[in-house]
Amino acid sequence: MKRRIASWENGHSTPDDFYGPLLCEVYGLSAAELGLNHEGERETELLDVTYPASPEGAIETVGQLWRADLNRYEPLLQAQPSEPAWNEASLRWLVAPEPGVPRQRRDGMRVGLGDVAAIKTTADMFAELDDRFGGDHARHAAVQYLSTEVTPILRGQYTEQVGRALFSTAAEATLLAGWMSYDACHHGLAQRYFLQALRLAQDANDRRLAGSILSAMSHQATFLGHYTEAATLARAALMGIAPVATPTLRAQFHAMEARALARTGDVGACEAALSAATNALESRNNDDEPEWISYFDEAELAAEAAHCFRDVNSARQAVAHAENAMSGSHVRSDFFATMVLADAHLRAGDIEEACRVALDALDLGEQLKSARCVSYLAEFRRNLSAWIHRVKVGLGTGKWEEVPADLG
């Protein structure tokens, strides 16, 4: 170790992807401040949101993303999402020709299905941590694993069969990195992860997973206020996997469309999408569903419906659905459902119950490191302040006044 440090100090080498982030953490400085951005030009290119043109391009780009994220490249962590990138990615995926075969490389480590299984098992562990403790709890550790362990595997030697499985598993792991980054409100970074995951899923010929990635993009777009793009992404997911869609996937995609439509105020179209989601979910056969969509059940659909009815100001319906949305097994999902229930009670004029439920949500969210959860609390606080103002005005004048604050 002393020789390694001496080599860094003398300028003969630079810390690698393992030691670089550790030094950043110890000194509390970015990679650029420590002079570790020896690949600064390539990291700057990552600020351009592009859909890779080839499997090799996807491997190279996602590897750069993992490395830059691990080194806390601040412009990337603070980047904003690109609205055109959502449309470009969905269109390019929809009209893509038959997926290219991941080429059988002649260099690098030999990769087998056992290596793919190891990635899957590790990613599942990080997914469980994400669900229980929020995206910011183990996000850095997950990205470190992807950068140091998965990158050389993607660059290794593998057959077509192994390559397909590898790309699918890497896409799923990259989708998780996107969700974790989204939950941490690193929105530009999350979008970039989603785009790379979509390209990897395309090359794996895993259309179901690709559709789920578009659904994740739709979820993020709605959260950020890009409602038209969000509805388009959900419809692209439905259209793109129609021949291989399962009932649960269709239900999720219809629910994402409904979430976007609710925000646009199109009540009729929103209710139609929710009805389609309900019908689809009722016809599911769990034995035919991908394992990674098993979480989407009646409780999850109820949570999506509660969001929708809250957003179209149908408070009583929002309350009814939110009360059915508590799974008891997904901490963060239960937190969101509880906050929607608090919002719904507030919109129904039951301030005391709204505050009681919000306190329940605080208890649920105590262990969560999630910027998204914080944003739900901030929204509730704004709405509560508006209602308190309204009550004060009513008591003071004997009549109700239109509230200037946004309750939407």
Side-chain angles (χ1 to χ4, degrees):
M1 188 63 197
K2 290 181 179 179
R3 290 181 182 177
R4 193 189 301 268
I5 294 173
S7 178
W8 298 339
E9 291 176 339
N10 295 328
H12 298 311
S13 66
T14 56
D16 60 18
D17 290 346
F18 177 77
Y19 289 104
L22 291 180
L23 290 172
C24 292
E25 191 168 343
V26 168
Y27 290 106
L29 299 171
S30 69
E33 290 169 324
L34 285 175
L36 303 182
N37 269 354
H38 53 283
E39 296 183 340
E41 291 185 6
R42 283 200 291 173
E43 287 184 338
T44 302
E45 292 173 4
L46 293 176
L47 298 181
D48 297 327
V49 190
T50 57
Y51 190 70
S54 66
E56 291 75 25
I59 292 172
E60 182 64 24
T61 301
V62 79
Q64 289 179 31
L65 274 174
W66 291 333
R67 186 164 53 252
D69 186 3
L70 196 57
N71 285 321
R72 293 185 172 90
Y73 181 52
E74 200 63 23
L76 181 62
L77 293 176
Q78 299 300 323
Q80 295 302 307
S82 164
E83 195 172 299
W86 282 315
N87 296 326
E88 179 197 2
S90 59
L91 178 61
R92 290 187 62 178
W93 175 71
L94 280 171
V95 302
E98 286 296 314
V101 178
R103 67 184 180 87
Q104 299 182 35
R105 304 174 67 95
R106 301 182 185 280
D107 55 352
M109 63 182 290
R110 291 185 178 276
V111 179
L113 292 177
D115 300 296
V116 178
I119 297 172
K120 170 67 175 168
T121 300
T122 307
D124 286 346
M125 178 197 70
F126 282 120
E128 183 177 349
L129 292 173
D130 170 54
D131 183 48
R132 290 184 59 191
F133 301 111
D136 240 356
H137 171 72
R139 198 187 76 82
H140 189 73
V143 173
Q144 183 171 20
Y145 171 76
L146 292 170
S147 182
T148 58
E149 301 295 332
V150 179
T151 296
I153 293 175
L154 285 170
R155 292 174 176 168
Q157 303 179 54
Y158 38 79
T159 65
E160 178 182 344
Q161 178 194 12
V162 172
R164 296 282 191 216
L166 173 60
F167 273 47
S168 181
T169 302
E172 192 177 341
T174 305
L175 171 61
L176 174 62
W179 275 114
M180 295 174 90
S181 300
Y182 168 24
D183 199 47
C185 287
H186 296 307
H187 289 298
L189 175 61
Q191 184 191 48
R192 287 158 175 80
Y193 280 139
F194 289 150
L195 292 179
Q196 304 312 313
L198 183 63
R199 176 69 218 213
L200 290 168
Q202 175 186 325
D203 293 312
N205 199 23
D206 193 339
R207 297 196 71 79
R208 289 175 175 176
L209 179 58
S212 188
I213 295 165
L214 287 175
S215 180
M217 292 183 190
S218 175
H219 196 292
Q220 184 192 30
T222 294
F223 182 82
L224 294 173
H226 301 279
Y227 309 128
T228 301
E229 290 75 16
T232 299
L233 286 162
R235 290 166 184 155
L238 279 164
M239 179 186 301
I241 74 162
V244 294
T246 66
T248 304
L249 286 171
R250 289 200 304 272
Q252 186 194 55
F253 302 163
H254 281 301
M256 290 303 98
E257 182 185 12
R259 286 281 300 271
L261 292 170
R263 285 292 193 171
T264 68
D266 192 339
V267 178
C270 170
E271 291 181 343
L274 281 177
S275 178
T278 301
N279 292 336
L281 197 61
E282 288 174 349
S283 66
R284 78 186 184 281
N285 178 353
N286 288 332
D287 292 338
D288 296 332
E289 299 287 347
E291 177 271 332
W292 41 259
I293 197 62
S294 61
Y295 77 93
F296 195 86
D297 54 14
E298 288 82 2
E300 283 289 327
L301 181 55
E304 303 300 349
H307 278 85
C308 292
F309 286 115
R310 178 202 64 176
D311 294 339
V312 299
N313 291 316
S314 295
R316 295 302 177 191
Q317 286 181 281
V319 167
H321 284 283
E323 288 175 340
N324 292 325
M326 309 303 169
S327 68
S329 57
H330 300 290
V331 177
R332 186 175 47 204
S333 294
D334 285 351
F335 171 87
F336 290 139
T338 305
M339 284 308 306
V340 171
L341 179 59
D343 271 334
H345 280 302
L346 187 60
R347 289 164 190 258
D350 193 346
I351 298 178
E352 184 175 344
E353 182 64 9
C355 292
R356 186 195 67 78
V357 173
L359 288 174
D360 289 342
L362 281 173
D363 289 339
L364 270 174
E366 186 176 6
Q367 67 189 35
L368 292 170
K369 293 183 68 176
S370 164
R372 261 200 309 153
C373 290
V374 173
S375 74
Y376 270 63
L377 288 167
E379 182 180 19
F380 176 80
R381 184 176 180 178
R382 289 193 302 270
N383 292 344
L384 179 61
S385 296
W387 274 103
I388 291 173
H389 170 73
R390 186 174 185 178
V391 169
K392 286 180 177 178
V393 170
L395 290 174
T397 65
K399 61 181 180 180
W400 294 111
E401 178 181 282
E402 289 296 321
V403 182
D406 178 15
L407 287 177

